[in-house]
Amino acid sequence: KNQVEQSPQSLIILEGKNCTLQCNYTVSPFSNLRWYKQDTGRGPVSLTIMTFSENTKSNGRYTATLDADTKQSSLHITASQLSDSASYICVVSDDNAGNMLTFGGGTRLMVKP
Amino acid sequence: KAGVTQTPRYLIKTRGQQVTLSCSPISGHRSVSWYQQTPGQGLQFLFEYFSETQRNKGNFPGRFSGRQFSNSRSEMNVSTLELGDSALYLCASSLFQGRVTGELFFGEGSRLTVL
């Protein structure tokens, strides 16, 4: 069964600090891994998409890494801002499954002033 | 360019009733997928449509159904509502690219409360 596990479940950091969120997956055959940011009560917004051959991708202060061998990904947030407070969801796509994605439970990040 | 539009944004129903939710994808996007988000189960895939055909279906009971129209707009229906159907229902659209799916763009969701 395809699974995506995220850690930690929640995280509180001070504004300006960096943080790293983790994602482990068992999805086969692997197609791509995505990180989404979801503000409370809003729809998820894409941060990065990585395929098997990519191991790093950046989007502003967000940098995602992928290790396809160990089936692990991380999302690093640099110089956090109050607006980074949100849930971050790791999503993995099965090569044969179109948009039948497997979602992680998310990491709820709170950035405090 | 307009984003994915979902209506209604909020609705309250009672057990046993049925509900229909609507999704208008980004212009030019032919793939529409639906997801259910609850605090306990997180985000779960419901179904995906492309060119009016259901391409994939998640592990949900037959009370959950959907369809897509020729203009790519999609609706999902839940019949005989149960308390556990209370959730945020999200629709996403993408440019269909065969087996390698394109970026997904989500709507703001329809918040369903079943009393």
Side-chain angles (χ1 to χ4, degrees):
Chain A
K1 179 183 177 184
N2 289 342
Q3 285 189 310
V4 178
E5 302 283 344
Q6 290 187 246
S7 61
Q9 282 191 317
S10 61
L11 183 62
I12 301 174
I13 62 173
L14 292 176
E15 186 179 13
K17 297 296 186 183
N18 304 335
C19 68
T20 300
L21 314 180
Q22 302 290 344
C23 172
N24 296 335
Y25 63 92
T26 53
V27 175
S28 182
F30 174 85
S31 175
N32 58 68
L33 184 145
R34 314 163 190 230
W35 284 94
Y36 284 88
K37 177 187 178 187
Q38 186 177 24
D39 293 317
T40 302
R42 309 290 297 274
V45 174
S46 178
L47 295 175
T48 62
I49 302 176
M50 288 183 290
T51 59
F52 184 88
S53 59
E54 298 173 294
N55 53 29
T56 302
K57 185 163 276 191
S58 293
N59 178 358
R61 294 179 297 102
Y62 300 101
T63 299
T65 65
L66 173 64
D67 186 333
D69 292 331
T70 61
K71 299 187 178 180
Q72 295 180 325
S73 176
S74 65
L75 180 69
H76 186 74
I77 304 175
T78 304
S80 61
Q81 300 176 358
L82 297 179
S83 59
D84 292 331
S85 295
S87 288
Y88 291 84
I89 304 171
C90 176
V91 186
V92 183
S93 175
D94 178 325
D95 197 29
N96 297 317
N99 284 325
M100 193 168 73
L101 307 173
T102 303
F103 294 84
T107 292
R108 183 151 194 86
L109 174 66
M110 182 178 295
V111 180
K112 290 193 169 183
Chain B
K1 193 174 187 181
V4 178
T5 303
Q6 291 189 245
T7 57
R9 288 292 313 278
Y10 303 93
L11 66 167
I12 299 174
K13 294 284 187 179
T14 57
R15 280 181 298 175
Q17 287 187 310
Q18 74 164 13
V19 65
T20 298
L21 309 177
S22 178
C23 172
S24 293
I26 291 171
S27 179
H29 285 193
R30 299 171 67 188
S31 174
V32 173
S33 47
W34 289 89
Y35 306 87
Q36 181 196 64
Q37 186 174 33
T38 60
Q41 299 294 322
L43 270 158
Q44 294 180 286
F45 171 81
L46 280 160
F47 24 66
E48 178 186 9
Y49 288 89
F50 175 75
S51 292
E52 303 176 65
T53 300
Q54 188 177 87
R55 184 173 177 230
N56 286 301
K57 183 171 169 46
N59 189 24
F60 278 82
R63 300 186 296 107
F64 292 80
S65 62
R67 58 178 176 169
Q68 187 180 32
F69 303 96
S70 58
N71 62 358
S72 293
R73 190 178 70 86
S74 177
E75 288 182 347
M76 67 162 283
N77 184 77
V78 188
S79 62
T80 319
L81 284 167
E82 300 176 359
L83 295 179
D85 296 333
S86 294
L88 179 67
Y89 290 88
L90 290 160
C91 166
S93 75
S94 67
L95 283 170
F96 185 67
Q97 297 178 356
R99 290 170 62 195
V100 179
T101 58
E103 179 151 1
L104 273 182
F105 295 87
F106 284 87
E108 299 289 27
S110 292
R111 170 77 62 185
L112 170 65
T113 301
V114 182
L115 303 176

